[in-house]
Amino acid sequence: MDRLDNTVRPYAWGSTTALPALLGTEPSGEPQAEMWMGAHPGAPSRTGRGTLVEVIDADPERELGPAAAKFGPRLPFLLKLLAAGAPLSLQVHPDLEQARAGYADEERRGIPADAPHRNYKDANHKPELICALTEFDGLCGFRDPAATADLLAGLGVDSLKPYVDLLRAHPEDAALREVLTAVLTADPDEMRRTVTETAAACARLGGDYAPYADIAHHYPGDPGVIAALLLNHVRLQPGEALFLSAGIPHAYLNGLGVEIMANSDNVLRCGLTPKHVDVPELLRVVRFEAGDAGVLRPEATPDGEEVYATPIDEFRLSRFVLPEGAAAHDLTLGTPQILLCTSGTVRAGEHELTPGQSVFVPARERAEVSGAGTVFRATVVV
């Protein structure tokens, strides 16, 4: 079992206070957006045996067990603490088939891996799950088109009326596709005026419009503001989660959470960003299906584990809430694990963990936790 020393990423949208408050450190005044735990080559966790990439490369079978045969000689997930102080970009992720085809195509065309217009950094999909540690606001999936038409009409903005008509006049999938296409391909000057008028109306009306006014404050003139109005706004309570499968448009707005994802960098952006938006490829990947956001709540097992059930194998996230005086839990598995403390003080093997601290447990190595607090467990399904 290895204690992990993890990198904090200072993205501009990060909160200046949420991670320091969890970690019990003084804020630096700079944004602290994500703490990465895993073997992503961009910022691998460090151990007493080297980086986690080096540890796994040295003996994949020992460290990963049967996961090495199923997923290859790499840790297939990345675990994060995510602290949003401002909205992240509006985005979707490809499915596995799309990722493989897109990566092969861009490789064949010789697009440099670091090119700003490159969509596919690897050949993997990127399902992800976010579990709230505080109240957590996000956008997830398309709202019912009729309800969105009513929401837009209520703003009283003349330039939104064509979108209202489209949403009311077409079948669901066609309506959503046509509106998103129109928004992302509109004349930039006209769209800036529409966003400005829409932002002012959202700020004036408040209520259900308030989250979109805040988005517009951070991204003035961005067409993603209008695209965001097509999506469900959801406010997670601590312990609740969202699962983002392929093709689901989403954005995180504010709050602190535990995030886990397949180990991939494939992102197609819809707006709320200065980065490249590839509209044709985006429209190929987006799933134009309406529904609610699908809030997940953990399912308790007899041994005290609370599991966030998802339909993929690259990761499995669960938590243990350990009351004062409880007996030690045996968490030994045949698969690799990362254990993360988010409250209280717990002991994992020989390591005492306080909030924000974590350990890597190789496959089949004994893992016992005790103390009083909350421990998240990230592993895989084989």
Side-chain angles (χ1 to χ4, degrees):
M1 185 182 298
D2 301 276
R3 181 183 288 276
L4 297 180
D5 179 16
N6 304 306
T7 298
V8 174
R9 311 306 293 264
Y11 304 135
W13 48 262
S15 169
T16 59
T17 59
L19 270 179
L22 180 76
L23 299 172
T25 59
E26 286 296 318
S28 67
E30 300 297 318
Q32 298 183 44
E34 295 180 345
M35 176 185 284
W36 288 19
M37 290 158 277
H40 191 287
S45 298
R46 298 169 294 279
T47 78
R49 297 187 284 158
T51 71
L52 198 51
V53 170
E54 294 167 340
V55 168
I56 292 171
D57 283 350
D59 194 344
E61 165 58 24
R62 178 185 181 279
E63 304 298 333
L64 303 179
K70 182 169 183 175
F71 301 107
R74 59 185 181 85
L75 192 67
F77 63 82
L78 176 64
L79 185 67
K80 300 179 180 179
L81 283 167
L82 183 147
L88 283 67
S89 64
L90 187 59
Q91 58 187 251
V92 298
H93 304 301
D95 63 26
L96 190 56
E97 181 180 349
Q98 291 165 336
R100 288 172 174 169
Y103 179 76
D105 175 64
E106 292 186 334
E107 286 287 282
R108 185 169 52 250
R109 289 189 284 137
I111 300 175
D114 58 354
H117 62 287
R118 176 133 186 177
N119 296 314
Y120 297 96
K121 309 293 187 183
D122 53 68
N124 199 19
H125 62 166
K126 192 184 178 184
E128 62 188 47
L129 181 145
I130 184 79
C131 176
L133 295 179
T134 65
E135 276 199 347
F136 193 98
D137 281 66
L139 304 174
C140 179
F142 289 108
R143 188 189 300 105
D144 175 75
T148 298
D150 292 342
L151 189 77
L152 296 184
L155 289 166
V157 175
D158 287 344
S159 54
L160 293 178
K161 290 179 180 178
Y163 306 140
V164 173
D165 293 339
L166 285 171
L167 290 166
R168 288 177 172 162
H170 291 282
E172 177 182 287
D173 57 345
L176 295 169
R177 177 180 290 274
E178 288 193 38
V179 172
L180 185 62
T181 302
V183 168
L184 297 180
T185 59
D187 176 82
D189 291 333
E190 291 181 4
M191 179 51 63
R192 275 191 288 273
R193 287 192 291 271
T194 296
V195 172
T196 299
E197 294 172 7
T198 300
C202 286
R204 182 179 68 253
L205 293 169
D208 290 342
Y209 297 103
Y212 305 99
D214 184 64
I215 292 169
H217 169 74
H218 290 283
Y219 297 97
D222 192 306
V225 173
I226 308 302
L229 281 158
L230 304 176
L231 306 185
N232 295 296
H233 171 246
V234 60
R235 176 165 292 166
L236 300 177
Q237 298 303 311
E240 295 180 334
L242 291 174
F243 174 65
L244 292 312
S245 59
I248 302 298
H250 62 278
Y252 302 145
L253 305 182
N254 187 272
L256 177 67
V258 174
E259 184 182 36
I260 190 168
M261 61 185 61
N263 209 344
S264 170
D265 287 326
N266 289 325
V267 175
L268 289 146
R269 295 176 176 84
C270 313
L272 309 183
T273 178
K275 295 182 179 179
H276 178 64
V277 177
D278 185 336
V279 175
E281 187 66 13
L282 171 70
L283 296 175
R284 193 177 74 83
V285 170
V286 171
R287 285 168 49 189
F288 291 97
E289 301 172 0
D292 63 32
V295 174
L296 282 177
R297 295 172 181 85
E299 301 173 4
T301 66
D303 64 355
E305 185 179 22
E306 299 178 343
V307 181
Y308 293 90
T310 60
I312 51 93
D313 293 344
E314 281 87 348
F315 63 75
R316 178 183 183 274
L317 186 71
S318 61
R319 69 176 185 177
F320 294 82
V321 180
L322 308 176
E324 189 73 46
H329 278 64
D330 183 2
L331 271 57
T332 307
L333 289 177
T335 51
Q337 306 179 67
I338 291 178
L339 305 179
L340 165 67
C341 175
T342 59
S343 70
T345 301
V346 300
R347 177 164 290 277
E350 63 183 18
H351 304 285
E352 185 175 271
L353 304 180
T354 57
Q357 296 182 334
S358 56
V359 293
F360 171 72
V361 186
R364 298 181 287 263
E365 184 169 306
R366 181 167 176 77
E368 189 174 86
V369 296
S370 59
T374 300
V375 178
F376 279 81
R377 170 159 77 179
T379 187
V380 299
V381 178
V382 295

